[in-house]
Amino acid sequence: AVYVHQGETYVVEELNEQDHCAIVTRSNPDYYTQARDITQTEVLQPLRGQDWGGVRVDFGEVKVTTKVVSFQRKAFISNEILGEEPLDLAARELFTKAVWFTIDERRLAGAGLAAARVPGALHAAEHAGIGLLPLVASSDRWDIGG
C-alpha cells in the first residue's frame, strides 16, 4: 500500500499488526492505492429521537466495525486498476455517536422514489449532512463519516 505522510510518499514493505508497526520505504511510485473495506454499524443505544412528518430522526450510541479486506493499486494518470491485493486483517471497532433516519418504504414510494433509487438518494443525503455539520458543530468536514 502507498501512504503519504507530511508530503512524503511511502510504500509499505511489511505490516506487523500484532506490534502495530509498518515497515515503509520512501518512494515515488506511478500509482496510488485505495483500501477496500466492509463496514457495519450497530445501534447500541438510542439517546434522543423525534418524528418529523413521517421521518424518524434518532441520535445515539453506535458501534462501527470496519474490516479492510484488500487494497487496489490504481494508475495516477488514468485511475486504471492495476491490481488488487487481498488482506487478512483483524476488524477494528469504533464506539461513537451517530444520527440515523427511519422512513417507511410506503412513504418513499408515495413520494415517487423507486426502491432502486433509494441507495443513491441516501448517499446524497449523507454527503449533504457531512458537508453541513461543521456549520453547527466544532468539527472538520473530513472528521465526519457516513
Side-chain angles (χ1 to χ4, degrees):
V2 175
Y3 284 93
V4 177
H5 178 69
Q6 296 185 347
E8 299 291 337
T9 303
Y10 298 87
V11 175
V12 176
E13 303 294 339
E14 182 182 334
L15 177 64
N16 183 329
E17 236 192 323
Q18 184 178 348
D19 294 334
H20 306 285
C21 178
I23 306 300
V24 298
T25 303
R26 203 157 136 198
S27 183
N28 196 15
D30 60 352
Y31 63 90
Y32 66 98
T33 57
Q34 189 170 38
R36 300 183 43 86
D37 62 56
I38 298 169
T39 300
Q40 294 179 319
T41 305
E42 177 186 348
V43 174
L44 299 176
Q45 180 179 355
L47 299 174
R48 281 188 296 232
Q50 186 172 347
D51 291 314
W52 285 358
V55 176
R56 175 78 183 172
V57 180
D58 283 292
F59 169 80
E61 297 175 1
V62 297
K63 176 174 76 170
V64 180
T65 305
T66 303
K67 181 172 176 58
V68 177
V69 295
S70 67
F71 68 88
Q72 291 180 331
R73 260 187 318 283
K74 294 184 174 184
F76 268 125
I77 295 173
S78 65
N79 285 329
E80 173 190 359
I81 297 172
L82 304 173
E84 186 163 347
E85 298 295 327
L87 297 171
D88 185 24
L89 302 175
R92 305 282 181 181
E93 293 178 341
L94 171 67
F95 293 88
T96 187
K97 293 187 171 55
V99 173
W100 62 93
F101 303 88
T102 307
I103 305 170
D104 186 86
E105 288 182 36
R106 292 173 300 203
R107 182 168 293 277
L108 291 172
L113 189 58
R117 299 196 66 150
V118 172
L122 290 173
H123 190 75
E126 168 196 353
H127 281 271
I130 288 170
L132 291 171
L133 188 60
L135 294 173
V136 295
S138 296
S139 64
D140 182 89
R141 184 256 179 270
W142 299 107
D143 290 338
I144 311 303

